[in-house]
Amino acid sequence: MLFRSGTSTNGNGIGVAVIDSGVEKNADIEDLTGWKDFTPAAKTTPYDDFGHGTHIAGLIKGKGDLSDAKYQGVGLATNIIGLKVLDANGQGDVTTVIAAIQYAVSKKASLGIDIINLSLGHPVYEPAATDPLVQAVEAATRAGIAVVVSAGNEATSVAPCPAAYSEVLTVGAVGPTGRRASYSNFGAKTVDLGAPGSSIFSTVPGGGYAYLSGTSMATPHVTGALALLASYYPTYSASQLRDLL
């Protein structure tokens, strides 16, 4: 039974690091709590030249001002920290992702980072115990940051890295009928839970909305839900919040 509860149910005060293609500010995402561009461009002003990260950020906390509140994120009062690791083609290097995770850990206190959203990954090249990306994620979880990861879109029971790491929350996609989306990776050892991932409407650069599909879109639904729980149960650890989900 749960006894301790807070006063917020909208993610207030919970920081989410979106490690992705960047985040473009708009009427739905008016400001960022933090920003760092890990790509060679190294721009100091938030931007997103691919669109993936802005879509994800909108699903986490979009206010819906661009749609008269018709399309809103899960946790409206969360704080978004945009960490850009993917370029204009949605490509990135694993060392860049690791650097962003390490940055999130180092800035956990100063930026209030409670959750990392990783709607990305790479094939498994080596055991989890020696994989550098898994080691970075493991360090984040030891630091008390909850890490939410997309399961991948290969329709297989073999999860990409770092989704296969047991301490992350790995999210698969479900379609409109509530069944697993045909593209989503699956399996009890691969996916912890599913969330809507097919034809998901959210913010994109330029001030509008677009439909995107994939486990990438399912992941921020769970990240947002985790932020709601974190704001309602402020004394719970990341592992306790993970268990609630």
Side-chain angles (χ1 to χ4, degrees), residues 134-158:
V134 172
Q135 290 175 341
V137 169
E138 187 177 28
T141 60
R142 283 200 304 267
I145 299 175
V147 183
V148 189
V149 182
S150 55
N153 305 319
E154 294 76 38
T156 177
S157 61
V158 179

Side-chain angles (χ1 to χ4, degrees), residues 7 24 55-56 63 77 79 110-111 113 124 128 148 151 166 170 179 199 201 217 237 242:
T7 58
E24 181 179 288
H55 199 272
I56 285 164
K63 292 169 52 183
N79 299 320
S110 60
L111 294 178
I113 297 175
V124 176
V148 189
S166 61
T170 303
R179 296 177 178 271
S199 298
F201 208 49
M217 282 64 251
S237 67
R242 180 183 183 277

Side-chain angles (χ1 to χ4, degrees), residues 17 26 35 41 63 66 71 96 128 133 141 182 212 214-216 232:
N26 53 45
W35 163 263
K63 292 169 52 183
L66 293 169
Y71 303 108
T96 305
L133 181 54
T141 60
S182 61
L212 292 177
T215 57
S216 286
Y232 193 69

Side-chain angles (χ1 to χ4, degrees), residues 31-32 92 106 122 139 176:
D31 204 2
L32 302 180
S106 71
H122 69 70

Side-chain angles (χ1 to χ4, degrees), residues 193-204:
L193 68 170
S198 297
S199 298
I200 303 301
F201 208 49
S202 185
T203 52
V204 291

Side-chain angles (χ1 to χ4, degrees), residues 177-191:
T177 65
R179 296 177 178 271
R180 178 181 68 86
S182 61
Y183 54 81
S184 177
N185 287 351
F186 58 88
K189 293 184 179 180
T190 300
V191 177

Side-chain angles (χ1 to χ4, degrees), residues 11-26:
N12 185 45
I14 304 303
V16 178
V18 176
I19 299 179
D20 213 280
S21 63
V23 180
E24 181 179 288
K25 294 190 290 185
N26 53 45

